[in-house]
Amino acid sequence: MPLTGKNYIAGEPSAEGAEVFYSVDPRSKTTDALPFHNATQNEVDRAVVAAAAAFQEIRGYPSGKIADLLDEVAAQVEALGDDLLHTADRETGLGLPRLTGERARATGQIRAFAGLLREGAYLRAIINTEQPGQPAIKQMQFPVGPVAIFAASNFPFAFAVPGGDTASALAAGCPVVVKAHPGHPATSELFAQAISAAAAAAGFPAGTFSMLQGNGIDVGQWLVAHDAIEAVGFTGSLRGGRAIYDAASRRPRPIPVYAEMGSVNPVVITQAALAARADEIADGLVGSVTLGTGQFCTNPGLILLEDSAATRDFITAVAEKMEAAPAGVLLNEAIAAGLDSAVGQTAAHAQIEVLTGAEAVSDGDFFCYRNTVMQTTAAAIREDERLQIEHFGPVTLFVVCEDGDDLRGAVDSLEGNLTSTVHAEEAELESIGGLLHQLREKAGRVIWNGFPTGVAVVHAMQHGGPYPATTAPGTTSVGMNAIYRFMRPIAFQNVPDALLPPALQDANPLGILRLVDDVYTAEAI
Amino acid sequence: MPLTGKNYIAGEPSAEGAEVFYSVDPRSKTTDALPFHNATQNEVDRAVVAAAAAFQEIRGYPSGKIADLLDEVAAQVEALGDDLLHTADRETGLGLPRLTGERARATGQIRAFAGLLREGAYLRAIINTEQPGQPAIKQMQFPVGPVAIFAASNFPFAFAVPGGDTASALAAGCPVVVKAHPGHPATSELFAQAISAAAAAAGFPAGTFSMLQGNGIDVGQWLVAHDAIEAVGFTGSLRGGRAIYDAASRRPRPIPVYAEMGSVNPVVITQAALAARADEIADGLVGSVTLGTGQFCTNPGLILLEDSAATRDFITAVAEKMEAAPAGVLLNEAIAAGLDSAVGQTAAHAQIEVLTGAEAVSDGDFFCYRNTVMQTTAAAIREDERLQIEHFGPVTLFVVCEDGDDLRGAVDSLEGNLTSTVHAEEAELESIGGLLHQLREKAGRVIWNGFPTGVAVVHAMQHGGPYPATTAPGTTSVGMNAIYRFMRPIAFQNVPDALLPPALQDANPLGILRLVDDVYTAEAI
């Protein structure tokens, strides 16, 4: 299907508004000819009203039918073929190998949700049978209703229109209205076509999915303020996520916002680890910091070590490797400008020493920033929280600590992060526990002798963490448990089986694991 | 231990401030001599700092040790003996039989959490073992940190200082700072003494528990604004809950607020149900509306029926029974004034007909309001959301609908509620499903042929619902799952077993149910 530059509202292209924006190739700074239309407030309303109408139907659909929709979405995404890869590459500069891998990740997680639905235990059926003086109570998880999703810039597939937020919301049984990211509008439209086609093929009402374009803040604000929206998923910057959170909190009827807003992902490296494998760690660190031109929310941006000759040698080695590593292309002008501003602010700090980089490559015909290494002290980190801002790009900041106490004091002053990492040796297992669990309180995922980039899409993954990493540290945006952001428990008291979903019927026709009178069992009652 | 009128901060009585208030007997409107001291901002800070310090220790405690604390709390509460019952009766007028039952409920739910902890599956351990190209990821639930709890007025035991919020937060492993309700300060102090003694006996740091008194809004605002508080539990009014929610959302670092703010708990009665058992339903309804002088958040406050001769007879019968039922004592002056204001506003509405009551019993020497029945139309409910306000007392409002469509339109316009109820007959099972599931979308618990008062403390209970019933419809404040409000998942990547909690070690030394490579099992790996 040809690109139209329009919004997709309940399956139909729509362009009511006059405001347009364009797709830009970050490798050449050239602008494509096709105008993309910002959605109007009326279009936002139409999308949400269609979603609410769709919910009246799909809230009764069995898990298996939703699983079929997800499989169809994955198939339709794959049917976009190489056109999708080339379009996304032109809009993001991420390169075909990365995008090919990301496509597999996106379709893989969509299909994983289909598998979760078919297995059935995700419904968390809990039953207390009738007892003397106590009625029968049966509960399970239900979809919350229409969900607004804000797509990210840096993962045009896996955290964007068909990404984990959309997949988990659809899996929950919720209609979805996606606000596409303006950094890749053509890619977003291809996905809108694919998901709309999948909804039709799977027999879902067209309002199950809509996609809105917009390069300002209006579309998002209208969407979050709409009374029929029940929850919001967001992946992006702290500033953007907080604005969405504030708007949702100020509503007459507040709704939850699940915003993943990135972090600095502290890494602690012990002296023993340096002694054993400084080169290996340096290579791994440089690879992790520069992966995807550093545009990962799990980019290791804060490296803490005790001061020593080995530490100084290590920092020098990392700075040299960073300087030698090829500079990558940044996603778009906004990312480049934001990075320049953030690093500029940090580099100007009196307690910051720039070891390499800290400047844009401004004479290129592509968006680019030099790989950057900076250094500071534990005291500076403790005293000024502005040194904990995320630099969204190939940038890392060493924190050289006077000793172990100084290091633990710096860790104590850390804000919330998506991840925290320790590099240490087996011989330190007995002594490192306190630090590891101190780091645990600061993050959603703790990594041992690895690097935080690379988020496995598995059931046990936790991609979240205390604010400012997210607005909802009890939830995850990656892995199967992401579905619970968009579900809520409902209990039924003395309701006859004939009126209950199969998961709650005494006979357990789905054969799923349930908690019956405080015992986990797949047996019938 | 004698009452002091002081706050309890980390086990020690404290009265830094000069502002005081007094306990009032609602049956005689007489004021007790003992002054209770409003906590100062410094005392709030001391309590939270002590809680944060305690968390550094207890975050590492095994579940079994926390279970021992809970058992000790239950035992210490029981050791307060009849003095507790008489004190609470004097402050609330709820009566010894009700308070005896509520004490059993409070200690029962504390011990139920101890049982949950010893069973162990509540930790929700999820493990994905190492696979080619994918590291081992293991996650489980951890406590979030210091929690602020706001006690309710209407359940001085089960939703107050030692209530479900405190029990679930302690069970999660979180230190608790309780803002006591000013309606029963002496009762609150007895509990503070009991819980402080339990913490000491169980070997917990004193900062694990503090109790603050206050009869204004300052103490609560200081508490919620304190940077070291990680989550808030609240039971009370919509106005109070929303103020706490707004304060928490405006923090530099926002935190979740789990506020249960009551509701009108719609009840639909079909014509077939009326034909079969109008008298029985009328008796049940009057009993439910007047139970505890109507001061329940699950009080049935909105009764929807289709118009008919039987409906008119039913409403007349209910009004007569309500008029004949003895008027009960209200908890305190604030409740009485609030009820008078809320009913007065509703009764003044042009579409409202007062059938009985709607006035205070003002010449008594106790706080009292006449049992009240009002009537309106479905059209009025649809058009004016102010008719959905909660009247916190022995008050119910009939909504007479023209026909089934009119009734379903009224249901569609309902706001979020804790419960919704249908009275219908077996013969209607096939036709009633649509309505039942429409009511489901409006509530956290759906009741068939029963009444919403009486909330069984069982695993399957859901005591929550869409706003304005709560600020967090995905959570519950009654039942075992209440614990998850105060926990968050943390994942460990490649972390050696020696550094992991027992629940995540390969050998599964706790023998708990875990999700291992997508299969539920209690086996070792």
Side-chain angles (χ1 to χ4, degrees):
Chain A
M1 225 185 307
L3 291 174
T4 67
K6 299 183 178 180
N7 306 283
Y8 276 67
I9 298 176
E12 295 298 326
S14 175
E16 291 180 2
E19 286 180 19
V20 297
F21 66 101
Y22 297 87
S23 176
V24 176
D25 184 338
R27 284 205 196 84
S28 61
K29 299 184 182 175
T30 56
T31 298
D32 194 73
L34 181 68
F36 288 89
H37 292 258
N38 283 350
T40 64
Q41 186 162 12
N42 187 57
E43 285 173 319
V44 171
D45 181 63
R46 283 170 48 214
V48 178
V49 167
F55 184 60
Q56 298 301 314
E57 300 216 4
I58 70 176
R59 72 185 188 194
Y61 286 2
S63 302
K65 186 172 168 83
I66 301 172
D68 292 346
L69 168 67
L70 293 170
D71 281 345
E72 188 65 34
V73 169
Q76 293 281 351
V77 165
E78 284 166 351
L80 293 171
D82 288 354
D83 188 28
L84 173 68
L85 300 176
H86 291 292
T87 300
D89 187 42
R90 200 166 51 240
E91 291 191 301
T92 66
L94 287 172
L96 295 175
R98 146 75 190 268
L99 289 168
T100 303
E102 190 183 332
R103 180 177 61 183
R105 175 179 170 166
T107 55
Q109 68 193 3
I110 292 168
R111 290 195 172 101
F113 279 112
L116 185 82
L117 267 54
R118 294 197 175 97
E119 196 278 330
Y122 81 104
L123 291 171
R124 290 184 171 161
I126 308 176
I127 295 174
N128 286 91
T129 60
E130 189 174 354
Q131 305 292 333
Q134 180 187 295
I137 311 275
K138 300 175 165 189
Q139 80 155 242
M140 58 176 262
Q141 300 284 328
F142 286 85
V144 294
V147 167
I149 298 295
F150 288 78
S153 63
N154 60 337
F155 279 87
F157 301 167
F159 287 85
V161 177
D165 283 347
T166 297
S168 57
L170 288 175
C174 298
V176 171
V177 180
V178 180
K179 162 67 176 65
H181 195 281
H184 38 73
T187 305
S188 300
E189 184 175 350
L190 289 176
F191 283 128
Q193 292 173 348
I195 300 174
S196 299
F204 276 62
T208 301
F209 176 81
S210 292
M211 183 278 292
L212 304 170
Q213 302 275 15
N215 71 338
I217 64 165
D218 284 347
V219 174
Q221 290 287 326
W222 291 327
L223 185 54
V224 171
H226 199 294
D227 184 58
I229 291 292
E230 296 290 343
V232 179
F234 171 96
T235 309
S237 70
L238 175 57
R239 201 176 66 168
R242 181 67 193 245
I244 297 293
Y245 173 87
D246 287 343
S249 303
R250 282 192 307 259
R251 286 167 47 125
R253 188 173 66 84
I255 53 174
V257 171
Y258 304 102
E260 191 270 80
M261 305 178 291
S263 64
V264 298
N265 303 294
V267 176
V268 173
I269 307 171
T270 68
Q271 294 299 303
L274 272 196
R277 48 195 168 88
D279 282 354
E280 181 193 329
I281 295 173
D283 286 338
L285 181 60
V286 170
S288 186
V289 173
T290 58
L291 190 69
T293 320
Q295 300 161 113
F296 285 106
C297 42
T298 53
N299 194 34
L302 204 69
I303 319 296
L304 301 102
L305 306 100
E306 294 177 41
D307 192 20
S308 71
T311 289
R312 291 188 287 271
D313 289 348
F314 177 75
I315 293 172
T316 301
V318 169
E320 285 170 359
K321 286 173 195 283
M322 285 284 283
E323 199 165 356
V329 179
L330 293 167
L331 284 160
N332 55 55
E333 187 172 6
I335 295 277
L339 180 60
D340 200 36
S341 165
V343 177
Q345 178 192 314
T346 303
H349 194 283
Q351 304 302 318
I352 289 283
E353 182 183 355
V354 174
L355 302 184
T356 184
E359 59 183 8
V361 179
S362 53
D363 56 349
D365 56 2
F366 47 90
F367 298 116
C368 188
Y369 200 85
R370 282 184 57 198
N371 296 328
T372 298
V373 179
M374 297 180 284
Q375 180 175 331
T376 191
T377 65
I381 287 287
R382 278 200 304 270
E383 283 158 21
D384 192 343
E385 63 187 16
R386 290 176 303 170
L387 293 181
Q388 292 188 47
I389 66 163
E390 183 183 31
H391 306 103
F392 198 70
V395 178
T396 200
L397 170 59
F398 281 100
V399 181
V400 179
C401 309
E402 291 179 6
D403 53 25
D405 284 348
D406 198 38
L407 188 149
R408 282 187 292 275
V411 169
D412 202 44
S413 72
L414 292 180
E415 299 180 333
N417 280 276
L418 294 168
T419 73
S420 55
T421 298
V422 179
H423 277 271
E425 294 300 292
E426 295 289 319
E428 299 178 283
L429 283 184
E430 286 193 20
S431 58
I432 202 88
L435 176 67
L436 188 94
H437 294 291
Q438 193 185 356
L439 282 165
R440 167 188 103 191
E441 297 299 334
K442 305 294 185 179
R445 175 166 55 112
V446 179
I447 298 142
W448 176 263
N449 288 348
F451 294 94
T453 45
V455 183
V457 184
V458 294
H459 216 120
M461 177 52 63
Q462 170 62 13
H463 190 63
Y467 190 93
T470 79
T471 53
T475 65
T476 181
S477 65
V478 174
M480 300 298 94
N481 284 352
I483 198 171
Y484 296 113
R485 299 175 298 170
F486 307 119
M487 304 192 86
R488 69 180 177 95
I490 301 176
F492 297 89
Q493 179 169 325
N494 274 341
V495 176
D497 269 13
L499 291 171
L500 291 176
L504 295 182
Q505 294 170 6
D506 283 348
N508 194 14
L510 302 179
I512 61 175
L513 189 72
R514 310 190 294 188
L515 183 59
V516 179
D517 291 335
D518 298 332
V519 176
Y520 287 92
T521 173
E523 299 293 311
I525 292 169
Chain B
M1 225 185 305
L3 291 174
T4 67
K6 299 185 178 180
N7 305 282
Y8 277 67
I9 298 177
E12 295 297 327
S14 175
E16 291 180 3
E19 285 181 20
V20 298
F21 66 102
Y22 297 88
S23 177
V24 176
D25 184 336
R27 284 204 196 85
S28 61
K29 299 185 183 174
T30 56
T31 298
D32 194 75
L34 180 68
F36 288 89
H37 291 259
N38 282 349
T40 63
Q41 186 161 13
N42 187 57
E43 285 173 319
V44 172
D45 181 62
R46 282 171 47 214
V48 178
V49 167
F55 185 59
Q56 299 302 314
E57 298 215 5
I58 70 176
R59 72 184 189 196
Y61 285 2
S63 302
K65 186 172 169 84
I66 301 171
D68 291 344
L69 168 66
L70 294 170
D71 281 344
E72 188 65 34
V73 169
Q76 293 282 350
V77 165
E78 284 165 352
L80 292 172
D82 288 355
D83 187 29
L84 173 70
L85 300 176
H86 291 292
T87 300
D89 187 42
R90 199 165 52 238
E91 292 192 300
T92 66
L94 287 171
L96 294 175
R98 147 73 191 268
L99 289 168
T100 304
E102 189 182 330
R103 180 177 60 182
R105 176 181 171 163
T107 54
Q109 67 193 2
I110 291 167
R111 290 194 172 101
F113 280 112
L116 186 82
L117 267 54
R118 294 198 175 96
E119 197 279 332
Y122 82 101
L123 291 171
R124 289 185 172 161
I126 309 175
I127 296 174
N128 285 92
T129 60
E130 187 173 357
Q131 305 292 332
Q134 180 188 295
I137 311 277
K138 299 175 167 189
Q139 77 155 245
M140 59 176 260
Q141 300 285 327
F142 285 85
V144 295
V147 166
I149 299 296
F150 287 78
S153 64
N154 60 336
F155 280 87
F157 301 168
F159 286 86
V161 177
D165 282 346
T166 297
S168 57
L170 288 175
C174 299
V176 171
V177 180
V178 179
K179 162 66 178 64
H181 195 282
H184 38 74
T187 305
S188 300
E189 183 174 350
L190 289 176
F191 284 129
Q193 292 173 349
I195 301 176
S196 298
F204 277 63
T208 301
F209 176 81
S210 291
M211 184 275 295
L212 304 171
Q213 302 275 16
N215 72 338
I217 64 166
D218 283 348
V219 174
Q221 291 287 327
W222 290 328
L223 185 55
V224 171
H226 199 295
D227 185 56
I229 291 292
E230 297 290 342
V232 179
F234 171 95
T235 309
S237 70
L238 175 58
R239 201 176 65 170
R242 182 67 192 248
I244 297 292
Y245 173 87
D246 287 343
S249 302
R250 282 193 306 260
R251 285 166 47 124
R253 188 173 67 84
I255 53 174
V257 171
Y258 304 102
E260 190 269 81
M261 305 177 291
S263 65
V264 297
N265 304 294
V267 176
V268 174
I269 307 172
T270 69
Q271 294 299 302
L274 272 195
R277 46 193 169 89
D279 282 353
E280 179 192 329
I281 296 173
D283 287 337
L285 182 59
V286 171
S288 186
V289 173
T290 57
L291 190 69
T293 319
Q295 300 162 114
F296 285 107
C297 43
T298 54
N299 194 33
L302 204 70
I303 319 296
L304 301 103
L305 305 101
E306 294 178 40
D307 192 20
S308 72
T311 289
R312 290 188 288 270
D313 289 347
F314 177 75
I315 293 173
T316 301
V318 168
E320 285 170 0
K321 286 174 195 283
M322 285 285 284
E323 201 166 353
V329 178
L330 293 167
L331 285 161
N332 55 54
E333 186 173 8
I335 296 276
L339 180 59
D340 200 38
S341 165
V343 177
Q345 178 192 316
T346 302
H349 194 283
Q351 304 302 317
I352 289 283
E353 182 183 355
V354 174
L355 303 184
T356 185
E359 58 183 9
V361 179
S362 53
D363 56 350
D365 57 0
F366 47 90
F367 298 116
C368 187
Y369 200 83
R370 284 185 55 200
N371 296 328
T372 299
V373 179
M374 297 180 284
Q375 179 175 330
T376 190
T377 65
I381 287 287
R382 278 199 304 270
E383 283 158 20
D384 192 344
E385 64 187 16
R386 288 174 304 168
L387 293 180
Q388 292 186 48
I389 66 162
E390 183 184 28
H391 307 103
F392 197 71
V395 179
T396 199
L397 171 59
F398 281 100
V399 181
V400 179
C401 309
E402 293 179 6
D403 53 24
D405 284 349
D406 198 37
L407 188 149
R408 281 187 292 277
V411 169
D412 202 44
S413 72
L414 292 180
E415 298 179 334
N417 279 276
L418 293 168
T419 73
S420 55
T421 298
V422 180
H423 277 272
E425 293 300 292
E426 295 288 320
E428 299 178 286
L429 284 182
E430 286 195 19
S431 58
I432 202 87
L435 176 66
L436 188 93
H437 293 292
Q438 195 185 353
L439 281 165
R440 168 188 102 191
E441 297 299 334
K442 304 294 184 179
R445 175 166 55 112
V446 180
I447 297 140
W448 176 262
N449 288 348
F451 293 95
T453 45
V455 182
V457 184
V458 295
H459 216 121
M461 178 51 64
Q462 170 62 14
H463 190 64
Y467 189 93
T470 79
T471 52
T475 65
T476 182
S477 65
V478 175
M480 300 297 95
N481 284 352
I483 199 172
Y484 296 114
R485 299 175 297 170
F486 307 119
M487 305 192 84
R488 68 179 179 94
I490 301 175
F492 297 89
Q493 179 169 324
N494 273 341
V495 176
D497 268 12
L499 291 171
L500 291 176
L504 296 181
Q505 294 171 6
D506 282 348
N508 194 15
L510 302 180
I512 61 175
L513 189 72
R514 310 190 293 188
L515 183 58
V516 179
D517 292 335
D518 297 332
V519 176
Y520 287 92
T521 176
E523 299 292 312
I525 292 168

